[in-house]
Amino acid sequence: GALWLAVSSALVTAQHNQGHVATFEGAINKVVTTLAGLLFVDDVDLISFSQNQGISPESIVTRLQEQVNTWQANLWTTGGALQPAKCSYSIAAFGWKNGKHYYHTATSFPTPPLTITGANGQKVPLARLEVNDPVTVVGVVQAMDGSMKGQYEAIREKTSRLGGKMRECHLLQKDAWVALRATAWPSIKYPLPATVFTRDEGHSLMVPLTKHLLPKLGVNQHMPCAYRYAPASMQGLGIPHPYIEQGIEHIKHLTTHNKADTDSGKLLITTLDYLQLEIGTRQPVLSASFRLFGHLATPSWIKCLWQFVDSAGISLAAPNHIKIPKASRHNDSFLNDIVSARSEEHTSELQSLW
């Protein structure tokens, strides 16, 4: 652990010294975060993006190639090496149609491939993945556009496999509980801090498992969901629900980092800034009505958290150090607040303001 930290620190410092970093700045709180990439053991994601409209997408690809070259050269000096088969890249290039954004594909936005130097000294082109192609990183299946399809399929396959094993084996009720709590659930719960599943998707993930688990617990497999997932204190079985547990993990992550001077904390504040601007209200975004404003927000991790706390009646007050937009002059109001107050049943009118 200590050796990996020492080597990684030197590699990251070299990237910063060469200017191979990405800088994020919040629009309201002006919090600045500078990252060379995201690292965990032998996995690394290097980041490059446009800081202003004057930078072409092609120049961003060129800059990313320089970052890769520097990383590989410095990694080689430490005795490490990149494996071409394990390397890939994605490009999030946006187009606009009818006022809405879409992602370009490799066909609509072709670029020269990124390369690394192979063991024989020759340049090896890397695979370019589309923004919705899933990639497994440290046990979590991710896509650049935030799609959960890959992660959903991975967990669904896991619960189907575990359910099949439940069906085939002979377990006492006590052993079935142990199998759920100690084996099945920890493997399902692991990626939930990073997922954005809906309530229905969360229930669907558990069906292949509970179908065979409930009979092992001496319970009718058609027991209503309310009793399956309710805690024992409310006469339920207390089986974990992925959507509820996901929401809890999101809240824990937010409350842990929003006051901390960490990169995660800074990025969360920046994300809240842009969500606040996107919905156009003076209310703290996590306290605003998701029913009224939720359709204005781009699908994201923070939107998923907002929907969860709103539906659960959970109040998350913004810390004192986080700024909220204020009216510039006395008696000024935000247009979205005016429209939402006068037309609660016609939320589409809010969209037309844009």
Side-chain angles (χ1 to χ4, degrees):
L3 179 59
W4 169 81
L5 181 61
V7 172
S8 298
S9 297
L11 292 172
V12 171
T13 300
Q15 294 292 114
H16 278 266
N17 291 340
Q18 293 291 322
H20 297 320
V21 295
T23 301
F24 304 83
E25 182 177 1
I28 300 172
N29 287 275
K30 300 299 182 181
V31 174
V32 177
T33 312
T34 302
L35 300 176
L38 307 173
L39 290 78
F40 187 81
V41 191
D42 60 345
D43 286 301
V44 59
D45 292 322
L46 300 178
I47 309 168
S48 180
F49 67 92
S50 174
Q51 297 292 147
N52 58 67
Q53 295 181 351
I55 300 178
S56 68
E58 292 80 5
S59 66
I60 297 172
V61 176
T62 300
R63 185 196 306 169
L64 183 56
Q65 180 66 69
E66 295 172 355
Q67 291 178 237
V68 172
N69 293 343
T70 300
W71 182 268
Q72 183 175 27
N74 290 328
L75 181 64
W76 184 83
T77 64
T78 68
L82 295 177
Q83 297 295 326
K86 295 182 178 181
C87 298
S88 62
Y89 70 102
S90 294
I91 300 175
F94 294 96
W96 294 86
K97 185 176 182 179
N98 298 326
K100 295 184 179 181
H101 77 271
Y102 64 90
Y103 291 101
H104 279 293
T105 65
T107 301
S108 64
F109 186 78
T111 62
L114 290 184
T115 63
I116 62 173
T117 304
N120 58 0
Q122 299 296 315
K123 293 294 183 181
V124 179
L126 302 182
R128 174 177 170 178
L129 304 180
E130 300 294 359
V131 292
N132 59 350
D133 286 337
V135 178
T136 302
V137 181
V138 295
V140 180
V141 184
Q142 308 171 46
M144 197 172 188
D145 67 350
S147 169
M148 286 288 104
K149 182 179 179 180
Q151 184 64 76
Y152 176 88
E153 292 175 348
I155 298 180
R156 178 80 180 194
E157 188 278 329
K158 185 175 297 181
T159 56
S160 297
R161 185 176 68 254
L162 292 170
K165 292 181 179 179
M166 284 272 188
R167 182 188 68 245
E168 297 168 359
C169 65
H170 300 283
L171 291 176
L172 299 175
Q173 290 185 19
K174 180 182 69 174
D175 295 331
W177 276 114
V178 172
L180 172 65
R181 297 290 184 177
T183 303
W185 177 245
S187 66
I188 298 169
K189 180 181 178 180
Y190 172 75
L192 294 183
T195 59
V196 290
F197 295 129
T198 65
R199 181 181 291 274
D200 289 343
E201 287 173 335
H203 169 66
S204 175
L205 288 173
M206 294 296 286
V207 168
L209 177 60
T210 55
K211 176 181 178 181
H212 303 291
L213 171 67
L214 293 179
K216 297 295 182 180
L217 297 176
V219 176
N220 189 307
Q221 66 175 346
H222 300 295
M223 169 181 275
C225 293
Y227 289 103
R228 296 185 195 184
Y229 302 119
S233 61
M234 301 182 69
Q235 301 185 21
L237 291 178
I239 295 175
H241 192 301
Y243 177 73
I244 303 299
E245 299 298 325
Q246 169 189 269
I248 293 172
E249 292 299 320
H250 287 184
I251 293 173
K252 288 166 60 178
H253 187 83
L254 178 70
T255 55
T256 297
H257 289 281
N258 69 351
K259 290 186 177 180
D261 187 25
T262 63
D263 288 336
S264 293
K266 294 175 181 178
L267 290 174
L268 280 171
I269 294 174
T270 299
T271 302
L272 285 169
D273 278 358
Y274 287 106
L275 179 60
Q276 187 81 47
L277 287 181
E278 192 170 31
I279 67 170
T281 176
R282 68 180 301 174
Q283 305 171 56
V285 61
L286 296 182
S287 300
S289 169
F290 186 85
R291 182 179 65 83
L292 289 179
F293 296 104
H295 68 288
L296 297 173
T298 302
S300 61
W301 184 93
I302 200 70
K303 179 182 178 180
C304 181
L305 167 61
W306 176 25
Q307 182 176 20
F308 175 75
V309 298
D310 185 73
S311 65
I314 298 172
S315 177
L316 291 177
N320 293 332
H321 69 285
I322 295 182
K323 300 176 183 177
I324 304 298
K326 297 181 180 180
S328 300
R329 297 171 298 182
H330 187 61
N331 291 330
D332 277 0
S333 297
F334 286 59
L335 290 177
N336 278 5
D337 289 334
I338 295 173
V339 175
S340 65
R342 297 176 60 181
S343 55
E344 291 193 1
E345 301 303 320
H346 304 282
T347 54
S348 61
E349 293 185 15
L350 290 174
Q351 186 69 58
S352 68
L353 290 176
W354 298 81

